[in-house]
Amino acid sequence: MAVIKANINDLKLLARLMRAEAESEGKLGMLLVGNVGVNRVRANCLDFKGIRTVPQMVFQSPGGFEAVQKSYFYQRARTLEIQLARKVVNGEKYHPATFALWFFNPGRESCPSRWYIAWNTGRYKSHCFYAPTYSDCPSVYGTF
């Protein structure tokens, strides 16, 4: 059962984002990006108040994803990425992005323990993931 509303066009949009942000990190890397996206739609807190749909989340400005500014993002979604997007929309969670609302690539540097107000939840390949505290954003920790 879906944890956010998403029609096929939403799944394709999320799939394109997942690929553009993390294709080089394989399926798990793309799933982690998908978790962050779904978390942002569910959160309704901090930088994500009023973000209730996949298109709002993908194209949020300011504070959105760098990938939407690259031509690679605008290629059609492939079957594999659509399947991965469906998994995260259906509530599958993957560590370290389980409750994460942000990620970034620090290059060769290690992940800072904090990034703005969020705490580091771990790293997967080139990306560090960050989650808010429960008190800052209880809705992202909600049950499905």
Side-chain angles (χ1 to χ4, degrees):
M1 184 169 118
V3 296
I4 62 170
K5 290 183 182 181
N7 61 33
I8 188 61
N9 290 326
D10 296 333
L11 287 174
K12 288 178 180 179
L13 183 61
L14 179 59
R16 289 173 27 215
L17 177 71
M18 292 164 61
R19 179 187 64 221
E21 288 283 355
E23 180 179 37
S24 66
E25 298 188 355
K27 291 178 188 177
L28 181 56
M30 290 188 284
L31 288 164
L32 294 170
V33 168
N35 277 162
V36 169
V38 168
N39 288 345
R40 287 181 176 192
V41 174
R42 295 183 70 234
N44 202 27
C45 65
L46 303 168
D47 297 334
F48 311 105
K49 288 182 181 170
I51 303 295
R52 306 276 45 94
T53 68
V54 171
Q56 288 173 337
M57 175 270 297
V58 169
F59 295 110
Q60 180 184 6
S61 181
F65 294 95
E66 183 178 327
V68 301
Q69 300 168 18
K70 312 287 185 191
S71 61
Y72 190 59
F73 170 77
Y74 292 93
Q75 296 178 10
R76 73 172 183 81
R78 297 178 291 206
T79 302
L80 171 64
E81 290 111 17
I82 296 168
Q83 291 170 344
L84 297 176
R86 185 172 280 115
K87 286 183 175 211
V88 295
V89 164
N90 284 338
E92 290 188 26
K93 297 279 200 170
Y94 302 90
H95 180 77
T98 308
F99 303 110
L101 291 175
W102 302 274
F103 63 87
F104 84 103
N105 180 344
R108 295 180 183 260
E109 301 295 320
S110 61
C111 298
S113 60
R114 284 188 69 137
W115 193 46
Y116 299 99
I117 67 160
W119 291 96
N120 178 278
T121 57
R123 182 177 191 145
Y124 182 74
K125 295 190 177 181
S126 64
H127 287 98
C128 304
F129 292 85
Y130 293 85
T133 63
Y134 181 88
S135 61
D136 283 336
C137 190
S139 55
V140 81
Y141 292 92
T143 59
F144 297 109

